Amino acid sequence: PKGIAPAVNLTNGRAKKWRYRYIQLDREARSIDQNTKAILHVFDETTKKSGYSYLDVQTGITTNLMIGPYDYTRRLYKAKNANKIIFRRGNYKVFPDLFYTDDTFNNAKQISIANPQQTEYTWGTMELFEWTSLDGQKLQGLLAKPDNFDPNKKYPMIVNFYERNSH
């Protein structure tokens, strides 16, 4: 901040179209400790997958912990005196429930069933697709298909275009 040294890009996310956001686990910390690994929320702008990565602040090396076809919350809750974390994960077919894990994110365990009645209904699929606009811009969208979709049948369709809704 004092301009003594030039800024350094630690993640190089823009080159691979990944968006990284720092997650502050310790709400009382006033800065990022350079001797620890920082946890980042990751969003892949191409596939729309998200998850978590560790960033070694000293080396700039990121290590993916958990990346998948889900919306992972950017607000994690860490135990004050243990390396235990609670996070939320969900997508079109999976209601966003709470999960419990350690700081390695291995063996995450689901600890809530917030929408049990969802199993009583059939759910379709969500498909990411791309097209080129009339002005040559690459665009992406989401297509929701009903359960047991038959491509030989005609279905009603609702189209909603709004800036970057596919994210």
Side-chain angles (χ1 to χ4, degrees), residues 45-56:
E45 294 178 356
T46 303
T47 66
K48 310 306 182 208
K49 291 180 179 180
S50 69
Y52 304 112
S53 291
Y54 270 132
L55 169 67
D56 184 323

Side-chain angles (χ1 to χ4, degrees), residues 8-72:
V8 176
N9 183 341
L10 295 174
T11 61
N12 200 26
R14 188 171 291 169
K16 57 184 178 179
K17 294 189 177 184
W18 279 33
R19 193 169 50 208
Y20 292 98
R21 297 294 180 260
Y22 171 67
I23 297 174
Q24 185 174 347
L25 292 178
D26 181 357
R27 305 286 180 236
E28 297 174 8
R30 307 252 328 160
S31 62
I32 300 172
D33 184 352
Q34 293 186 19
N35 298 317
T36 62
K37 293 182 179 177
I39 191 164
L40 306 174
H41 180 270
V42 181
F43 179 75
D44 183 333
E45 294 178 356
T46 303
T47 66
K48 310 306 182 208
K49 291 180 179 180
S50 69
Y52 304 112
S53 291
Y54 270 132
L55 169 67
D56 184 323
V57 179
Q58 294 288 334
T59 64
I61 296 173
T62 57
T63 304
N64 293 338
L65 299 169
M66 180 178 283
I67 308 289
Y70 298 99
D71 175 33
Y72 287 88

